[in-house]
Amino acid sequence: MAKALEGVKVLDMTHVQSGPSSTQLLAWLGADVIKLETPGRGDITRGQLRDLPEVDSLYFTMLNCNKRSITLNMKSPEGKEVFEKLVGDVDILVENFGPGVVERFGYPWEKLQELNDKLIYASIKGFGPGRYADFKAYEVIAQAMGGSMSTTGFEEGPPLATGAQIGDSGTGIHLVAAILAALYQRTNTGRGQRVQVAMQDAVLNLCRVKLRDQQRLTHGPLGEYPNEQFGDEVPRSGNASGGGQPGWAVRCAPGGPNDYIYVIIQPVGWAPLTELIGRPELADDPAWNTPEVRLSKLDKAFALIEEWTEKHTKWEVMDKLNAHNIPCGPILSTKEIIEDETLAELGTVVEVEHPERGAFKTVGNPLKLSDSVVEIQRPPLLGEHNDEVLGALGYSADRLAGLRAAGVI
């Protein structure tokens, strides 16, 4: 069966997480992704956070499946020659270097256009043009400057980073959307274009409901938040959903650090909830029976629910609540997720064989297409596909040997 992006070639000049997360999705969708790395070292994450000596780290392997790897010294004249041939042969070039790095190599967008007028040149930067443009950005910096940290945590505590990598992988997903849009537009125009996503912008896009609430504050306190006092900015509100359906994480047995379940109280779910927790009289009590009257005492409502959930495991609670169509979700630890049989059956978590480290588990493709089935393949060893990729560009075995001896590849 053909893949959605079969025939599309990608030159992947990305490193660490934001860029590789994006190009890995393109590879899963069927694109031929050629990862360009520095000879001898490669992507810095190959050696970061290693759990096994002299073996590519899980940081690298979990972000670079289904790709081919070549090495190239971009500072040498021969390396630039190879690079220009690669640019002329691909559909998409993706990079996430710091501001100005590709330009200093001698390849501004205008030069790349000359080499390939159909090229889609996609970049991830920390910030858009303006005051912050030349600043470096990392995951938590993007969270800090995109509205996430100021609104995450409990009111009495400090700003918190979220465990979800919304700055890096979140931006990578945004870039995939932009690349696919540019690829589609090219079918009509025949021209490539410049595509750029800023990490700050991506995080802010994911935090839009907090900007919604910032504007709602001008008309009074936010009733669905548990906070007692409001200033002139959206506060941290713990585990409150911040939406029209109030929710909270309540404790379950036996009381471990992740023995919690997140429960949402919908109007239609209030009566069955009261039955489950042994307080059926609250179903018709005018002090409790509407969302409006419950709004001012949500803390008390969830305390009543917690008195019941503390007597049951989160799995038991999940089954009981779902039997009444009450939205809920047990707090799953990373251990529970990686061992979850359902997630394995769905391909949400997959096991991949690696020639040096053996089997490891990673996330599967979250994008499900009926006519483009994804098979997760192992990530490449450093420079594993030099001969294969450059040979297809016309480099002979003798020429490749010369480039290798000169340290070009």
Side-chain angles (χ1 to χ4, degrees), residues 283-315:
D284 298 317
D285 187 334
W288 288 94
N289 65 357
T290 67
E292 291 75 20
V293 298
R294 288 194 295 270
L295 196 58
S296 63
K297 47 192 171 190
L298 286 175
D299 56 340
K300 295 181 178 63
F302 285 109
L304 289 171
I305 295 170
E306 191 170 69
E307 288 178 8
W308 171 70
T309 61
E310 284 182 314
K311 301 170 186 174
H312 308 276
T313 70
K314 60 189 179 184
W315 301 106

Side-chain angles (χ1 to χ4, degrees), residues 126-335:
F127 308 97
R131 178 184 174 189
Y132 312 130
D134 295 330
F135 295 179
K136 287 185 176 180
Y138 290 87
E139 168 66 46
V140 183
I141 291 174
Q143 289 191 32
M145 296 183 68
S148 177
M149 289 187 71
S150 68
T151 55
T152 301
F154 285 84
E155 186 174 26
E156 65 277 8
L160 294 178
T162 173
Q165 304 288 283
I166 60 174
D168 279 329
S169 288
T171 305
I173 294 169
H174 280 78
L175 189 68
V176 169
I179 288 170
L180 295 181
L183 196 62
Y184 179 78
Q185 188 172 12
R186 194 182 70 174
T187 64
N188 296 320
T189 65
R191 299 192 340 264
Q193 62 182 291
R194 188 84 164 86
V195 171
Q196 186 166 314
V197 177
M199 294 171 69
Q200 183 184 34
D201 294 357
V203 171
L204 184 55
N205 187 44
L206 297 173
C207 291
R208 69 177 63 195
V209 297
K210 299 304 180 181
L211 282 193
R212 173 202 68 191
D213 293 346
Q214 178 64 39
Q215 295 169 88
R216 291 174 60 228
L217 264 178
T218 62
H219 303 290
L222 304 173
E224 73 283 358
Y225 279 54
N227 310 69
E228 293 184 2
Q229 297 182 337
F230 290 86
D232 60 358
E233 56 192 25
V234 176
R236 291 184 282 282
S237 56
N239 287 318
S241 69
Q245 310 292 338
W248 200 256
V250 291
R251 285 188 294 265
C252 298
N258 288 302
D259 287 324
Y260 286 81
I261 189 165
Y262 198 86
V263 180
I264 291 177
I265 303 176
Q266 293 180 317
V268 70
W270 179 246
L273 258 176
T274 61
E275 288 284 346
L276 284 169
I277 67 175
R279 297 294 301 274
E281 72 278 7
L282 300 180
D284 298 317
D285 187 334
W288 288 94
N289 65 357
T290 67
E292 291 75 20
V293 298
R294 288 194 295 270
L295 196 58
S296 63
K297 47 192 171 190
L298 286 175
D299 56 340
K300 295 181 178 63
F302 285 109
L304 289 171
I305 295 170
E306 191 170 69
E307 288 178 8
W308 171 70
T309 61
E310 284 182 314
K311 301 170 186 174
H312 308 276
T313 70
K314 60 189 179 184
W315 301 106
E316 292 168 342
V317 174
M318 179 181 71
D319 288 339
K320 291 176 185 294
L321 293 181
N322 273 288
H324 294 277
N325 205 29
I326 297 169
C328 65
I331 309 304
L332 299 185
S333 70
T334 50
K335 183 175 185 295

Side-chain angles (χ1 to χ4, degrees), residues 340-366:
D340 191 295
E341 293 180 2
T342 298
L343 296 181
E345 291 169 2
L346 292 172
T348 303
V349 176
V350 298
E351 188 168 271
V352 179
E353 287 291 338
H354 190 274
E356 294 181 345
R357 71 160 40 253
F360 69 94
K361 289 188 177 182
T362 187
V363 296
N365 179 31

Side-chain angles (χ1 to χ4, degrees), residues 72 78-86 386-387 389-400 403:
L72 188 63
E78 298 95 334
K80 291 182 184 296
E81 174 193 301
V82 173
F83 176 70
E84 292 184 8
K85 286 190 176 184
L86 285 164
N386 278 343
D387 291 0
V389 172
L390 300 189
L393 291 176
Y395 286 87
S396 67
D398 288 345
R399 181 74 171 124
L400 288 170
L403 292 175

